[in-house]
């Protein structure tokens, strides 16, 4: 026997609401040319990252000092570095680490930040005051400085980079969610639901979260590019991913010492990083234009 698709009261099931929301979001998003162009760029990098073992002509850590610092050629399309490693192969695998750090750190920061923002906005009083003081402490420093401080405590490595960036993103997510929750909580339908005896959990899932999901998605889309840029910056400074892991920040840091003799060493990973960031920013701007009611009103 199939599970019912609607509740006893005739209201749409959570699955139906989710499907309708995703369909409506996709319908708005595909009208944005910036979003489609940025999404195509990001999709190409995702494909390169997923299929890196098939696309890369060499192992990303294979060293051949006889071919060190060779320019782009038929054998090495993007040239080689000072260790004779194929730059194209390292760029493919670097896309894997960049995307993983970007999406994982934002997802972790989003989960914690949304929980903190919801708790502060719904509870109020001393709980809100205490949580927001912690958030103010996290927001007191620039994200790069905060990430560097966390890396100094946690140590080097990709997992620690993800954790450090996630901690630096908790504050912005929490503040945004709290502000949106306070606005939604003041609306009449929330008070009506409480007077009807609807449990707090149902109010949050059915009424609060659906009304704040758009700002969360917009900020998450913007934070992914920031996370990738910060992760590359940490690696460039020697505080992020450790060799021999393929990482664009490490490749740029290594190539800066040979910029006059072998500009492709820093130029190729730098170009890949810039292209991915452009794609992510276009996608985030298109997402904002599609989901922000003020922007849609301006376009109408």
């Amino acid at each position: 026997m199939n599970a019912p698709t609607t509740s006893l009261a005739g209201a749409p099931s959570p699955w139906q609401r989710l499907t309708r929301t995703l369909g409506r979001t996709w319908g708005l998003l595909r009208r944005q040319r910036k979003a489609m162009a940025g999404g195509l760029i990001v999709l190409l990098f995702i494909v390169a990252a997923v299929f890196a073992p098939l696309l890369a002509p060499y192992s990303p850590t294979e060293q051949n000092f006889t071919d060190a610092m060779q320019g782009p050629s038929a054998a090495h399309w993007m040239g080689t570095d000072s260790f004779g490693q194929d730059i194209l192969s390292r760029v493919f695998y670097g896309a894997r680490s960049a995307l993983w750090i970007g999406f994982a750190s934002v997802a972790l920061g989003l989960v914690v930040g949304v929980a903190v923002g919801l708790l502060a906005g719904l509870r109020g009083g001393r709980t809100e005051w205490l949580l927001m003081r912690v958030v103010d402490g996290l927001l007191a420093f620039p994200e790069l400085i905060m990430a560097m401080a966390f890396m100094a405590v946690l140590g080097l490595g990709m997992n620690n980079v993800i954790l450090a960036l996630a901690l630096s993103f908790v504050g912005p997510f929490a503040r945004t969610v709290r502000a949106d929750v306070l606005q939604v909580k003041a609306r009449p339908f929330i008070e009506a639901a409480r007077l009807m005896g609807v449990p707090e959990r149902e109010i949050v899932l059915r009424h609060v979260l659906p009304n704040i999901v758009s700002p969360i998605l917009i900020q998450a889309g913007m934070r992914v590019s920031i996370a990738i840029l910060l992760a590359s910056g940490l690696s460039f400074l020697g505080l992020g991913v450790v060799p021999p892991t393929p990482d664009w920040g490490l490749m740029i840091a290594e190539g800066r010492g040979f910029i006059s003799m072998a500009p492709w060493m820093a130029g190729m990973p730098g170009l890949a990083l810039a292209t991915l960031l452009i794609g992510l920013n276009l996608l985030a701007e298109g997402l904002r234009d599609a989901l922000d009611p003020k922007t849609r009103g301006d376009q109408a």
Side-chain angles (χ1 to χ4, degrees), residues 231-245:
S232 297
L234 289 173
S235 296
F236 181 83
L237 296 173
L239 297 173
V241 178
V242 296
T245 303

Side-chain angles (χ1 to χ4, degrees), residues 7-158:
S7 63
L8 294 177
S13 66
W15 172 253
Q16 287 179 319
R17 291 197 303 272
L18 178 61
T19 303
R20 292 175 185 176
T21 300
L22 292 177
R24 185 164 53 249
T25 300
W26 170 247
L28 294 171
L29 190 61
R30 66 181 180 180
R31 300 175 189 172
Q32 302 292 330
R33 294 183 178 180
K34 291 186 295 185
M36 293 295 98
L40 179 60
I41 294 173
V42 175
L43 180 61
L44 291 176
F45 275 92
I46 292 175
V47 170
V50 172
F51 296 101
L54 300 177
L55 297 175
Y58 302 92
S59 169
T61 58
E62 179 183 348
Q63 299 182 2
N64 186 355
F65 290 97
T66 59
D67 292 335
M69 299 177 62
Q70 296 293 318
S73 63
H76 303 280
W77 288 7
M78 290 187 177
T80 60
D81 60 15
S82 58
F83 296 98
Q85 298 173 124
D86 182 66
I87 293 179
L88 177 61
S89 301
R90 292 181 65 79
V91 166
F92 281 141
Y93 279 88
R96 174 177 291 188
S97 62
L99 290 170
W100 171 244
I101 290 174
F103 286 108
S105 61
V106 170
L108 185 57
L110 184 149
V111 170
V112 179
V114 168
V116 172
L118 279 173
L119 188 60
L122 293 174
R123 292 292 178 88
R126 293 184 177 180
T127 301
E128 180 184 12
W129 183 90
L130 179 61
L131 290 175
M132 296 316 297
R133 296 299 73 77
V134 174
V135 169
D136 290 340
L138 293 175
L139 294 173
F141 301 94
E143 291 170 339
L144 179 59
I145 303 300
M146 182 67 68
M148 291 173 63
F150 284 132
M151 289 302 297
V153 175
L154 298 173
L156 305 181
M158 185 181 298

